[in-house]
Amino acid sequence: MMERLEFDKIQDMLMRYTHFEGGRLKVAEIRPSSDCEQVNQWLDETAEAMEMLRFHEPSFLSGLKWVKDCLNRAGVKALLNSGELYEIYLLIRNSHLARKYLLNENYPRLKNLVSNIAEMKDLEEAIDKAIDEEGNIKDDASLKLKDIRQQINVNRLRIREYLQNFIRAEHNQKLLQDTLVTERDGRYVVPVKQEYRHEVKGIVHDESASGATVFIEPLAVVEQNNKIRILRLEEKREVERILRDLSDKVAVYAEELKLNLEILSRLDFIFARAYMAYNTDSYRPLINEEGIIEIEKGRHPLLGKEAVPLNIRLGRDFDILVITGPNTGGKTVTLKTVGLLCLMTMCGLFIPAREKSCISLFKSIYVDIGDEQSIEQSLSTFSSHMTNIISILERADENSLVLLDELGAGTDPTEGAALARVILEELLEKKAKVIVSTHQSELKNFAYQRERVENACVEFDPVTLRPTYELTIGMPGQSNAFEIAARLGLDAELVEKARGMVPENEAEISYVIKKLKDTRNYYQNMLKEMETEQRKLKEEKENIAREKEKLMEEKAEILAKARKEAEDYVRQIRREAEEAVQELKKLLKRKEEPPKWHEIERSRHKLKEIDFDKLRVKEEIRFKPAEGVKAGDYIYIKSLGQKGYVVEPPNKQGELIVQIGIMKLTVKDKDISLCESPEERESRLKNNTFLKKAQHISAEIDVRGKVAEEAILEIEKYLEDANLIGLSPVRIIHGKGTGALRKAVREYLKNHRYVRSFRDGMLNEGGFGVTVVELK
């Protein structure tokens, strides 16, 4: 079944996205499952891997090798070589990286998988210390190995130094074939001409192919070369000891390493599914166990993005779909697409179809597609198909999907149609879900006559004589034989004569089908035109909305600019006012040298020059863009022209709750502006009052000629203003007279909340006719 649907090619495609042999083995072992929980787990894993790929590449899968054979050998005490040990080191290191990346709450399925990874820090460090990235034993693998290699290097240098001097010596030049030092069998030698071989005392190790050169080890370096040979043997024994030690350590962790290898193989398989989903523009299907298939814009995964999208449904309104239409129209591709998408879903793969496409999990999928003629078994095409169909009828049930291609073909049309009908009736009785392609006209009538059976057709363009590969459910197909023959040039009279030979009832059915198709095409064209107009209206509406938004932004920008200019001007005025007030205060507080009258007047004149009316910024300019609105903010609702407090900030839809008086309203965030609250307004007006009072207040008050009660009221108001702007000391001019007004003023000042002390005026201040008051 899987081979007939070409699922092996899906596996080949999937293998191309794996990183190492472990993942490829998992792909080869893939089998569909009808267990809903299991399939959901696989789909979850694929989804989580796709999510991770948005941020990271799975670097923990790079460089891995299939080391299971090595682990099996280590388990029986075999000696592993340095290259194999380094591959095991990569397995340990990458297992650690996988835990680091995937022990994350965002990937619960993958987290659960990697939580079983065993960490072996001691073994990882031991191998890393002993073996480099090229798979060679490091000098620092042991102290003894380091010492041996140092001795080898010292002896090598001594030998090379002696031989370099030997070949440079003038009296030796004629003896040598070339002035270089080389090696033979791990021993240093010099190339000597054949005729001078007896002139150089030493051991002959080799000669050139021509025989013109012999390679001689001079006697003077034989002893040193022997030492190197001995050291090499010691080095070999020490390396074997190190490898044995590491192999034994691997044997201890053999089972844990196999588990880690299994987990990383599964991860490689999972990420291969994610890579393929991205590259084939695939989405997660919705799965069910009710036999319902609803595929929207599904494409055959092997045909790529060039495939014509397919819309097909089965299992909800009908259980059998009968597809008719011309040859090469796409009927077989439709069957294979549905079968493949079902298999892919049941294997945890995303499918190349729109989101929310529904796929049912079937316990069995039966397929009869293609020419199964068997020469060895002496079976014809019809016999081969029938043998297969008999087997399907024996095993199919309500949990089966059956895909039958060209049912009833390969034999007499009348008998084939009769057989096809009874086969479909049997499958309908078994409640199997069936998609069948056929040329049998009788089956079109069958679909109209039976419940839970529906017609469908693959469309054909009679103008171009080419199939459109689009599937239409609810309408049977036509052969279009007469149209094709006429287009290809068959004489019109012959075509009409052939039409006349068609049985009347068949001709009537064909005529009705044609009229239905023409009507459907008319309404489809009307629908397309309506959709086009609707799309244009939507675009115009969006353009208007964008223009409106742009105008609102420009308005907000203009208001913001005006508000900034106003606020800058306000700050400047306030700064000037505060400077003038401070200057006036300093003058009034000078006790040792009372200020001259013209100095006080100059400061007061500065205050008078400030135009406080310009501080009255228009209410509209105090509106601010509604950015970062929070509960408690005071806002202006443009559409209502009302103000109120925010009760709840904007939600995801941009709606917020506002209280206006006793009413609570829900408004859009685009319909509001932040504005000055009553409290802020009161504070601003209070500051303006302060500046105005500082502009007009004097350092003295004259209450002469007033009765005591009237004078006290004026003094009370005056002291309030003086305290507000911090003016001290101040003078109360009450005159001398009978002393009654002076006495009443002083009695009032004794317990006043703002008064620190008071005294009679100095001679230059007015004497007993003036009381000088120090404020707190």
Side-chain angles (χ1 to χ4, degrees):
M1 173 268 295
M2 295 177 72
E3 294 77 13
R4 289 178 182 172
L5 292 174
E6 299 179 294
F7 189 76
D8 56 322
K9 294 181 180 178
I10 298 293
Q11 289 175 291
D12 292 340
M13 184 189 301
L14 196 54
M15 283 184 184
R16 291 197 288 272
Y17 296 106
T18 59
H19 288 77
F20 79 114
E21 186 64 25
R24 288 187 281 277
L25 289 173
K26 288 295 177 186
V27 173
E29 295 169 1
I30 188 171
R31 291 294 179 272
S33 171
S34 59
D35 184 335
C36 191
E37 185 177 348
Q38 177 67 76
V39 173
N40 260 323
Q41 178 185 332
W42 290 343
L43 292 172
D44 287 344
E45 291 171 349
T46 306
E48 289 177 14
M50 291 182 72
E51 178 65 17
M52 183 188 162
L53 287 177
R54 292 176 55 213
F55 306 101
H56 306 287
E57 283 291 319
S59 56
F60 49 82
L61 295 174
S62 299
L64 286 172
K65 302 293 182 183
W66 182 248
V67 295
K68 193 166 185 179
D69 293 340
C70 301
L71 296 175
N72 288 335
R73 286 171 42 231
V76 294
K77 300 300 181 180
L79 182 68
L80 303 180
N81 62 44
S82 58
E84 292 170 334
L85 287 167
Y86 187 73
E87 289 173 357
I88 291 171
Y89 164 76
L90 290 177
L91 170 62
I92 302 169
R93 187 196 66 181
N94 288 16
S95 300
H96 173 72
L97 286 175
R99 281 180 60 90
K100 177 182 175 182
Y101 279 111
L102 298 177
L103 278 179
N104 188 318
E105 297 300 331
N106 295 325
Y107 316 124
R109 295 286 192 184
L110 300 182
K111 177 185 176 183
N112 183 59
L113 180 60
V114 300
S115 63
N116 297 314
I117 286 177
E119 294 201 34
M120 293 151 260
K121 286 285 186 183
D122 55 339
L123 179 56
E124 181 181 0
E125 290 171 0
I127 298 176
D128 186 40
K129 179 183 176 182
I131 301 173
D132 64 19
E133 295 180 359
E134 302 299 323
N136 299 316
I137 302 294
K138 296 179 181 178
D139 293 349
D140 294 328
S142 72
L143 292 174
K144 184 175 181 181
L145 182 62
K146 186 174 184 179
D147 180 58
I148 292 171
R149 287 182 173 175
Q150 285 177 347
Q151 291 184 52
I152 290 172
N153 289 334
V154 169
N155 282 282
R156 283 164 61 92
L157 288 173
R158 288 175 180 171
I159 293 172
R160 290 189 68 85
E161 184 179 0
Y162 173 83
L163 292 179
Q164 288 292 342
N165 291 332
F166 179 86
I167 62 178
R168 289 196 195 103
E170 188 175 346
H171 61 277
N172 289 333
Q173 293 296 310
K174 68 174 184 177
L175 307 176
L176 302 174
Q177 192 71 264
D178 202 353
T179 55
L180 58 83
V181 177
T182 185
E183 284 189 52
R184 286 294 185 276
D185 298 328
R187 301 178 77 89
Y188 287 104
V189 295
V190 292
V192 179
K193 294 177 181 177
Q194 180 67 250
E195 58 268 27
Y196 295 113
R197 61 185 299 176
H198 299 296
E199 299 293 325
V200 179
K201 302 299 183 183
I203 301 171
V204 176
H205 285 279
D206 198 4
E207 68 176 9
S208 65
S210 63
T213 306
V214 292
F215 297 94
I216 298 177
E217 177 185 4
L219 286 176
V221 298
V222 169
E223 185 61 30
Q224 293 292 335
N225 269 327
N226 287 340
K227 285 184 180 180
I228 289 176
R229 177 61 64 88
I230 293 169
L231 289 170
R232 288 289 187 197
L233 293 173
E234 291 181 12
E235 178 190 25
K236 183 180 178 182
R237 285 193 293 271
E238 181 60 16
V239 165
E240 287 179 354
R241 187 196 66 76
I242 292 168
L243 293 177
R244 168 52 60 195
D245 183 47
L246 292 175
S247 298
D248 291 344
K249 289 181 178 179
V250 168
V252 173
Y253 290 107
E255 294 305 316
E256 289 86 345
L257 287 166
K258 288 178 185 178
L259 175 62
N260 287 2
L261 183 62
E262 172 69 17
I263 292 171
L264 288 177
S265 297
R266 278 193 62 192
L267 286 174
D268 193 21
F269 175 38
I270 291 168
F271 277 92
R273 303 200 305 254
Y275 276 120
M276 192 170 84
Y278 269 124
N279 285 285
T280 56
D281 196 22
S282 297
Y283 293 91
R284 178 174 184 161
L286 302 177
I287 62 174
N288 65 84
E289 296 178 293
E290 288 77 45
I292 296 172
I293 296 174
E294 292 178 347
I295 298 171
E296 183 180 356
K297 301 295 183 184
R299 290 174 284 105
H300 193 292
L302 299 177
L303 298 180
K305 296 183 179 180
E306 300 300 320
V308 176
L310 169 74
N311 296 321
I312 191 168
R313 64 185 190 276
L314 181 71
R316 194 181 295 277
D317 302 320
F318 49 87
D319 295 329
I320 297 179
L321 186 64
V322 179
I323 303 175
T324 51
N327 286 327
T328 70
K331 299 189 298 297
T332 304
V333 170
T334 298
L335 297 182
K336 287 187 175 182
T337 300
V338 173
L340 264 181
L341 297 190
C342 287
L343 282 177
M344 289 174 68
T345 300
M346 294 166 70
C347 291
L349 300 174
F350 284 17
I351 62 174
R354 288 282 181 85
E355 292 179 272
K356 298 185 178 179
S357 291
C358 292
I359 298 291
S360 179
L361 306 181
F362 294 100
K363 291 189 176 175
S364 53
I365 298 177
Y366 300 112
V367 180
D368 182 60
I369 294 176
D371 187 354
E372 300 295 329
Q373 183 169 341
S374 173
I375 296 174
E376 293 85 354
Q377 297 178 13
S378 301
L379 295 176
S380 67
T381 301
F382 175 76
S383 300
S384 177
H385 280 295
M386 192 51 58
T387 302
N388 196 18
I389 290 170
I390 291 169
S391 174
I392 292 172
L393 289 174
E394 290 173 353
R395 292 179 290 169
D397 58 23
E398 60 184 4
N399 296 313
S400 301
L401 172 65
V402 180
L403 305 173
L404 303 175
D405 189 27
E406 300 293 353
L407 182 62
T411 187
D412 177 77
T414 303
E415 294 178 358
L419 281 172
R421 180 163 182 152
V422 297
I423 289 168
L424 292 183
E425 286 179 344
E426 178 67 13
L427 291 171
L428 186 62
E429 187 71 23
K430 288 176 175 286
K431 297 182 180 180
K433 304 301 178 285
V434 183
I435 302 178
V436 56
S437 71
T438 183
H439 285 290
Q440 300 290 352
S441 298
E442 179 64 25
L443 294 186
K444 301 176 189 178
N445 301 334
F446 172 74
Y448 281 123
Q449 294 167 356
R450 297 298 300 269
E451 291 185 0
R452 307 295 297 175
V453 183
E454 185 61 272
N455 271 311
C457 65
V458 285
E459 295 293 345
F460 184 84
D461 187 342
V463 177
T464 62
L465 305 180
R466 292 180 180 275
T468 63
Y469 302 106
E470 293 181 2
L471 181 72
T472 301
I473 294 177
M475 184 74 64
Q478 291 178 280
S479 67
N480 296 290
F482 297 137
E483 287 80 0
I484 294 172
R487 287 281 179 183
L488 292 175
L490 184 63
D491 188 276
E493 290 184 7
L494 295 177
V495 172
E496 287 304 316
K497 188 175 180 181
R499 285 185 193 275
M501 293 181 179
V502 176
E504 185 176 348
N505 63 333
E506 290 288 337
E508 288 178 358
I509 291 172
S510 295
Y511 177 75
V512 170
I513 291 173
K514 185 176 184 303
K515 294 298 290 182
L516 283 173
K517 283 191 174 182
D518 290 343
T519 304
R520 180 179 60 85
N521 290 335
Y522 171 76
Y523 283 111
Q524 278 187 341
N525 291 333
M526 290 288 291
L527 181 61
K528 286 180 181 177
E529 289 178 8
M530 290 175 63
E531 288 175 349
T532 301
E533 291 300 321
Q534 188 176 16
R535 188 165 54 252
K536 287 180 180 178
L537 287 172
K538 185 178 179 181
E539 289 174 358
E540 289 177 5
K541 185 178 178 181
E542 289 174 352
N543 290 334
I544 291 170
R546 280 195 294 270
E547 288 295 325
K548 183 180 178 181
E549 188 176 349
K550 184 179 178 182
L551 288 172
M552 293 297 291
E553 288 175 357
E554 290 176 356
K555 179 182 176 182
E557 188 177 341
I558 292 169
L559 289 174
K561 184 178 179 182
R563 182 174 64 252
K564 186 177 184 304
E565 291 175 356
E567 289 174 350
D568 290 344
Y569 184 74
V570 168
R571 280 195 292 272
Q572 179 185 348
I573 295 296
R574 285 179 175 169
R575 187 168 58 252
E576 292 175 2
E578 288 171 3
E579 289 174 356
V581 169
Q582 291 302 322
E583 185 179 345
L584 181 60
K585 283 183 179 180
K586 288 179 182 177
L587 289 172
L588 295 173
K589 287 182 179 179
R590 280 162 49 185
K591 297 180 181 179
E592 67 282 353
E593 185 183 350
K596 296 182 176 139
W597 188 252
H598 72 274
E599 292 177 335
I600 295 174
E601 284 302 310
R602 186 174 69 245
S603 295
R604 292 183 62 190
H605 183 68
K606 281 185 181 179
L607 285 171
K608 287 180 180 179
E609 285 180 344
I610 299 172
D611 186 359
F612 287 99
D613 289 336
K614 290 184 179 179
L615 292 177
R616 297 190 185 95
V617 182
K618 288 185 179 180
E619 198 69 27
E620 288 79 13
I621 293 179
R622 293 190 179 276
F623 293 156
K624 303 176 183 177
E627 296 176 359
V629 176
K630 59 185 182 299
D633 284 347
Y634 196 67
I635 60 165
Y636 174 74
I637 305 170
K638 302 169 190 174
S639 59
L640 301 178
Q642 297 290 329
K643 299 176 185 175
Y645 288 95
V646 175
V647 177
E648 293 183 11
N651 56 24
K652 292 181 179 179
Q653 288 73 39
E655 297 176 340
L656 62 159
I657 298 177
V658 180
Q659 181 154 4
I660 304 174
I662 61 172
M663 293 189 302
K664 288 186 178 179
L665 304 174
T666 300
V667 297
K668 291 284 186 180
D669 55 3
K670 294 181 179 179
D671 192 32
I672 66 168
S673 296
L674 288 170
C675 65
E676 186 179 45
S677 68
E679 294 81 6
E680 291 171 334
R681 178 180 174 81
E682 183 181 348
S683 174
R684 174 171 59 81
L685 294 176
K686 184 176 179 181
N687 289 338
N688 289 352
T689 301
F690 169 83
L691 293 173
K692 284 194 173 184
K693 289 185 181 299
Q695 187 178 31
H696 298 288
I697 196 167
S698 171
E700 61 185 31
I701 182 173
D702 190 347
V703 293
R704 288 177 294 182
K706 294 181 170 50
V707 295
E709 290 80 2
E710 186 180 351
I712 293 301
L713 286 173
E714 288 195 17
I715 292 170
E716 171 68 20
K717 184 175 179 301
Y718 175 74
L719 290 178
E720 285 283 351
D721 293 346
N723 178 69
L724 178 63
I725 67 170
L727 184 60
S728 181
V730 297
R731 292 184 298 164
I732 303 174
I733 304 172
H734 43 67
K736 297 177 182 178
T738 62
L741 184 57
R742 175 176 179 271
K743 182 178 179 182
V745 169
R746 286 178 170 252
E747 282 296 324
Y748 171 71
L749 294 175
K750 277 183 182 179
N751 299 314
H752 198 283
R753 61 189 180 280
Y754 296 146
V755 175
R756 176 179 289 132
S757 62
F758 56 87
R759 61 177 173 81
D760 289 327
M762 307 293 289
L763 288 176
N764 62 346
E765 292 176 327
F768 293 111
V770 173
T771 297
V772 179
V773 181
E774 287 280 350
L775 298 181
K776 294 180 180 177

